[in-house]
């Protein structure tokens, strides 16, 4: 009686995701220097394993807060922007929000040809932004608007200012700080 080829059972190795490799690298580095091991779990949570002096272990769960969604949010969280600069950025964001997003989604409640009903607010915001835009050179305003309004990465926006890769983020931040200072001074914004 002839038998077919033997069925072999092989264990298939699944490649690790970049997040898993990063978590393992952080854990290995933390163990090497004697720091608490941090394992990043799903979402924005971390499990911290702290060894005690008497040989026991304490495991705690902490929630990590992502304060780095946009360059402006990171700079605000790191206290790299002064209060007057934050007030100027918030003022411009308010004006941009009054313009309304001309999105790709159709508003079915809007009557075609009837306008949006907030024409004066839009026109006043446009006038204010035109006046504010005239305070600084166009190149600086472009960097400021791209970072603060459109959430462009600071390195990419800074590439318009310098060719040195190490200085692009710093150049973008200094430009945003300068434009915000000029706006706060000319608009007499208080914080």
């Amino acid at each position: 009686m002839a038998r077919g080829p033997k069925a072999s059972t092989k264990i298939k190795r699944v490649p690790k995701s970049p997040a898993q490799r990063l978590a393992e690298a952080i854990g290995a580095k933390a163990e090497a220097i004697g720091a608490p091991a941090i394992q990043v779990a799903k979402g924005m949570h971390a499990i911290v394993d702290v060894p005690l002096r008497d040989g026991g272990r304490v495991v705690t769960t902490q929630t990590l807060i992502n304060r780095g969604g946009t360059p402006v949010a990171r700079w605000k969280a790191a206290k790299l922007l002064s209060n007057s600069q934050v007030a100027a950025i918030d003022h411009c964001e308010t004006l941009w929000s009054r313009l309304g997003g001309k999105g790709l989604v159709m508003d079915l409640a809007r009557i075609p040809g009837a306008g949006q009903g907030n024409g004066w607010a839009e026109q006043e915001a446009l006038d204010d932004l035109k006046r504010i835009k005239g305070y600084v050179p166009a190149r600086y305003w472009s960097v400021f608007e791209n970072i603060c309004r459109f959430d462009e990465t600071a390195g990419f926006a800074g590439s318009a200012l310098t060719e040195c890769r190490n200085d692009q983020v710093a150049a973008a931040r200094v430009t945003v700080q300068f434009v915000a200072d000029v706006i706060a001074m000319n608009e007499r914004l208080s914080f």
Side-chain angles (χ1 to χ4, degrees):
M1 178 180 216
R3 293 187 178 206
K6 287 187 175 180
S8 63
T9 56
K10 290 186 179 180
I11 298 174
K12 193 174 191 180
R13 293 189 182 208
V14 178
K16 294 180 182 176
S17 71
Q20 289 171 331
R21 289 193 305 263
L22 179 65
E24 286 179 1
I26 290 172
K29 183 118 181 166
E31 288 176 14
I33 62 173
I38 298 175
Q39 298 173 349
V40 178
K42 276 190 167 183
M44 296 305 295
H45 301 286
I47 300 169
V48 181
D49 186 9
V50 181
L52 298 176
R53 292 179 193 235
D54 63 356
R57 296 179 95 64
V58 174
V59 178
T60 60
T61 303
Q62 297 177 343
T63 301
L64 302 175
I65 299 171
N66 184 3
R67 289 193 165 91
T70 65
V72 174
R74 284 193 301 274
W75 297 336
K76 285 180 182 178
K79 305 284 189 219
L80 295 174
L81 299 174
S82 68
N83 292 336
S84 61
Q85 293 167 348
V86 171
I89 292 170
D90 290 344
H91 178 66
C92 288
E93 286 176 349
T94 301
L95 293 174
W96 287 321
S97 69
R98 284 187 193 166
L99 293 179
K102 306 273 192 278
L104 297 176
V105 179
M106 183 176 177
D107 182 10
L108 297 175
R110 183 176 169 267
I111 300 171
Q116 292 184 344
N118 58 354
W120 284 108
E122 282 185 20
Q123 190 58 45
E124 289 171 354
L126 282 172
D127 292 343
D128 287 346
L129 284 170
K130 183 178 179 184
R131 183 185 68 249
I132 290 171
K133 190 176 178 180
Y135 295 152
V136 293
R139 190 174 195 175
Y140 293 165
W141 176 259
S142 174
V143 171
F144 177 80
E145 186 177 30
N146 286 340
I147 291 174
C148 296
R149 183 179 185 186
F150 301 118
D151 298 332
E152 185 175 66
T153 60
F156 189 75
S159 66
L161 302 169
T162 182
E163 293 181 13
C164 180
R165 295 187 70 110
N166 296 334
D167 296 337
Q168 290 174 350
V169 174
R173 189 184 75 237
V174 169
T175 302
V176 168
Q177 289 171 328
F178 170 72
V179 172
D181 281 334
V182 170
I183 292 169
M185 181 181 65
N186 288 327
E187 293 293 310
R188 296 184 176 107
L189 297 174
S190 61
F191 45 89

